[in-house]
Amino acid sequence: METIWKSRIKNIILCILFCCLFVKTFTFLTYLFRDTDTDRIRILGLKQEEDLDMIYVGSSSSICYWQPLRAWNDHGFTSYTFATNSLQADSSEYYIKEAMRTQDPTLFVVELRSYVAWSDEVYDLGLRNGSDSMSLLSPVRWKYIYDYMQKRTNTEEVDVGSFYFDIAKYHTETQRLGDEKQWEYSSNKAVFPNKGWEWFEQYDCMEEPGGFLTDERGEVPVKCREALESLLMYCDEKQIEVLFVVSPKVLDKEEQSIYNSLKDIVEGRGYQYLNANEHYEEMELDFSKDFFNGNHTNCFGAEKYTRFLEDYIVEHYDMPDHSKEQEFAQWSEEYKRFAEEEKTCKEAVVKMQENYAERLKTAEEIRQTDDFAQWYMMIDDASYTLLLAQKGAAGGWRAESAEEKKVMHIWEFSDDSQDSIRVVCDSEVVFSNAEGKETVYEGNIDRPLWQLTWSYAIDNTDGKASVMVSGEECSRGEEGINIVVLDHETRRVADSVTVQISEDGLTLVR
């Protein structure tokens, strides 16, 4: 009998050892195959931090807004930007729960911009950016995925299991085995150099929004309200101090009215609320210089926002100043590196601003040019896309110059062409309906990372010669070839003309 029991105990021990080995190997392979983008490294980086006084939770509207090392240099408190791109409204609660596993900050700051809209469909990236970055066996991660799926309607069409065991999504990416970076993060440990902040050398000229301030209360989507109330309940239970913020962006009256309603919910539960869009003048924010699209600041805007918010935090919360404490000396060293990186980033953005101004001057010169040949030379390069919609027939046209013949050949127009549409860039026809009957075409202009989609649509049904750019009509819609010139550099319409064809050649009409 004793021999039998010894055998059973041995088998149990071997089984436990096998299970432990399997879990360890499975976990290692999961971490080895996961993406190594900045979202994952930002999530991992939080665990490597010690004694954080503040954690900023949100989406991309946090990543390029809050600068922890600037706040350290100015006021001496430690912070971290714990955020991922495309964060959904119901995710903030789980990010706080995940952060609380390793941190005990004095204050959480939660970005409210994700609470103004809700999608009942599973948004792969919105969930994976966080869940595929957390520890595989984290109980918060598993509850996060489960609750997220419970609130969505199209889960039957989604491979739900691949969210829990994400190696199912990535295991076919065998080329990653030869990537040194994959092995570097196979231990699922990383340090994010700027405490979650990320540099973006990007710029776009925005127009400061106006007329959006209102006392009206808009309707918060039901599930957004439920997500916020669930977060507030958790914060009440754990006695967590939270400041809810709305970072500056291009917004309208309708969106502002929803933020007013969110403010009522937050303040009604005893938490503070700060909408930075109500303080542009105080921040000295310049939309023509401080953004790289309508939703995100560049390094100049982030500096202004961080200084505004850090002053508010120090004024309203009891934040410590560790600047004289030796154990925090590394933060000062990291700020020096941050300051050098900032100098480089600002120089790059200033060059973009200067280039933008030069492109605007060029666009004005284009609009002042009446000679077709000269005009064509100015817009015939890879930085412009031409959207053409011919209204009427080209009958009776006769080329008077070699240049005009060349252009009409490039555009694939002939004497018998009628109601044609073309998309041309750098003397190449991107789209043509010369051999078909398509009269509608939609497309996008490739834009840099984080630049919002720049779309266009040409509709020449029944010869209406419509050219829509980002939802706005830009065609003159007159007899002839209506051309809208898109400038890739400024993301603006550089010109809109009608080229009329006659026995005298090609004539520009504005």
Side-chain angles (χ1 to χ4, degrees), residues 265-278:
I265 297 172
V266 166
E267 292 185 340
R269 296 287 288 271
Y271 295 90
Q272 292 195 51
Y273 165 95
L274 177 64
N275 187 341
N277 292 280
E278 300 170 6

Side-chain angles (χ1 to χ4, degrees), residues 27 31 34 43-44 47 98 101 130-142 188:
T27 302
Y31 295 155
R34 277 181 172 177
I43 293 293
L44 296 180
K47 293 187 291 185
E98 181 68 11
R101 294 179 68 219
S131 65
D132 287 1
S133 302
M134 297 176 184
S135 297
L136 178 64
L137 302 180
S138 166
V140 174
R141 175 182 180 272
W142 284 68
N188 212 42

Side-chain angles (χ1 to χ4, degrees), residues 81-95:
T81 305
F82 193 56
T84 57
N85 289 294
S86 306
L87 191 78
Q88 310 292 282
D90 49 338
S91 300
S92 297
E93 177 181 341
Y94 298 93
Y95 279 45

Side-chain angles (χ1 to χ4, degrees), residues 94 183 281 318 385 439:
Y94 298 93
W183 290 91
E281 186 174 346
D318 186 18
T385 289
T439 56

